[in-house]
Amino acid sequence: MAQALAKFTRISSTPAYRMVAEAIERDILAGRLRDGEPLGTEAELATQFGVNRSTVREGIRLLEHGGLIRRDSSRRLWIGVPHTDGLATRMSRALVLHEVSFRELYEAAMALQLATIDAAVEHATVSELAALERNIDDTERVLPDPAAVAKLDGEFHTLVGKASHNRVLQLAREPSELLVVSSTELILRKVKVGAARLLQAHRMYVEAIRRRDKDAARLWVRRHVNDWRKGFERAGNDLDQPIDRIYLQNG
């Protein structure tokens, strides 16, 4: 009887679009490409790399979400600065590369925020509560501006993380922060009541933390995060589509 052939795992190579992104990123990090310098068009890059234009587009998509590439009104590409302070972390880029969905982002946000609010209720200081209140005041002043509100929402949750006095919880949130802020801005652009509901939830977070009321805090976390999910759906988006693609399509 013939001996059965051994079964091996298929050998895979790095996708071409990822190689394009990594090649450009290496030049940026090495200082060979600097903020404000032109990168050219997708067609020009496709010729340089010897790949098709769709491959370049996928590679550029990763870099845009890291804030390393931006487009002007003519769609030409330029070297940019990151959306957040400092370069996007490797984990942030991995989330984009693996095309995480909004549903995954929502589930992770719910778990992290519940754990964080529990710790914040126990450990928040007077000065940390004051910082949260200043953030709420700033948010109220820019309520008609979706991008500004989304940015301040990210800062609000960073402040709650600091109030938890748990560095693991703070660091666990950072990789997904860019996608959360991007999706929040998308929602606020299309759901007119979204900003007011977001602001109300933030106020209730702070009130629950001040009263050391863990049950109320957890209730408002669930309401706030569920509102975020419902807003995403009301804006006409699919929970299971890669979140970064949705943002770029609507950007």
Side-chain angles (χ1 to χ4, degrees):
M1 177 180 285
Q3 185 175 2
L5 293 175
K7 294 184 178 180
F8 298 99
T9 302
R10 184 184 294 274
I11 295 173
S12 61
S13 58
T14 302
Y17 73 91
R18 184 175 176 182
M19 294 176 69
V20 167
E22 289 176 349
I24 296 171
E25 183 178 6
R26 279 196 301 270
D27 276 8
I28 294 172
L29 296 180
R32 290 186 287 272
L33 293 171
R34 297 184 179 277
D35 178 33
E37 291 184 355
L39 186 61
T41 64
E42 290 178 355
E44 289 167 345
L45 290 170
T47 299
Q48 290 180 51
F49 283 108
V51 297
N52 60 46
R53 189 168 173 177
S54 63
T55 297
V56 168
R57 186 176 298 116
E58 286 294 295
I60 293 300
R61 180 172 63 85
L62 300 182
L63 297 173
E64 283 184 293
H65 259 285
L68 298 177
I69 297 295
R70 60 182 173 82
R71 296 175 189 265
D72 62 19
S73 58
S74 67
R75 307 300 291 170
R76 290 187 68 84
L77 302 166
W78 299 79
I79 306 304
V81 295
H83 298 304
T84 55
D85 294 333
L87 295 175
T89 66
R90 181 172 296 275
M91 188 59 186
S92 297
R93 293 193 294 274
L95 291 177
V96 175
L97 180 64
H98 287 282
E99 299 186 328
V100 299
S101 67
F102 185 89
R103 190 184 302 278
E104 292 171 297
L105 202 60
Y106 158 77
E107 291 171 351
M110 181 69 83
L112 283 171
Q113 285 205 35
L114 285 170
T116 301
I117 202 72
D118 281 352
V121 166
E122 293 180 11
H123 303 296
T125 64
V126 171
S127 63
E128 287 164 347
L129 281 166
L132 287 165
E133 289 170 344
R134 286 194 297 273
N135 174 279
I136 288 173
D137 291 340
D138 291 342
T139 302
E140 189 168 20
R141 281 193 289 270
V142 299
L143 217 55
D145 184 343
V149 173
K151 182 179 178 182
L152 284 165
D153 176 64
E155 291 175 4
F156 178 86
H157 291 291
T158 296
L159 290 170
V160 175
K162 289 179 180 177
S164 76
H165 292 250
N166 185 316
R167 287 172 293 179
V168 175
L169 289 172
Q170 294 174 55
L171 291 170
R173 181 181 175 273
E174 286 184 7
S176 62
E177 181 175 357
L178 177 61
L179 294 178
V180 171
V181 171
S182 297
S183 60
T184 299
E185 180 184 345
L186 184 155
I187 293 165
L188 296 178
R189 279 199 239 135
K190 296 191 175 183
V191 181
K192 299 307 180 184
V193 298
R197 290 180 68 87
L198 178 151
L199 184 61
Q200 175 64 10
H202 287 189
R203 288 185 174 126
M204 299 310 296
Y205 270 44
V206 173
E207 181 60 26
I209 293 171
R210 182 183 291 107
R211 291 189 284 107
R212 307 296 179 186
D213 187 338
K214 192 173 291 187
D215 288 339
R218 290 175 68 87
L219 172 66
W220 276 99
V221 164
R222 291 193 178 93
R223 286 182 178 177
H224 187 39
V225 179
N226 282 328
D227 250 9
W228 180 52
R229 177 181 59 78
K230 291 173 184 175
F232 189 79
E233 291 180 295
R234 284 183 63 186
N237 299 303
D238 180 354
L239 293 178
D240 296 306
Q241 187 176 354
I243 179 61
D244 69 302
R245 288 190 182 181
I246 293 172
Y247 182 70
L248 288 176
Q249 288 166 5
N250 288 272

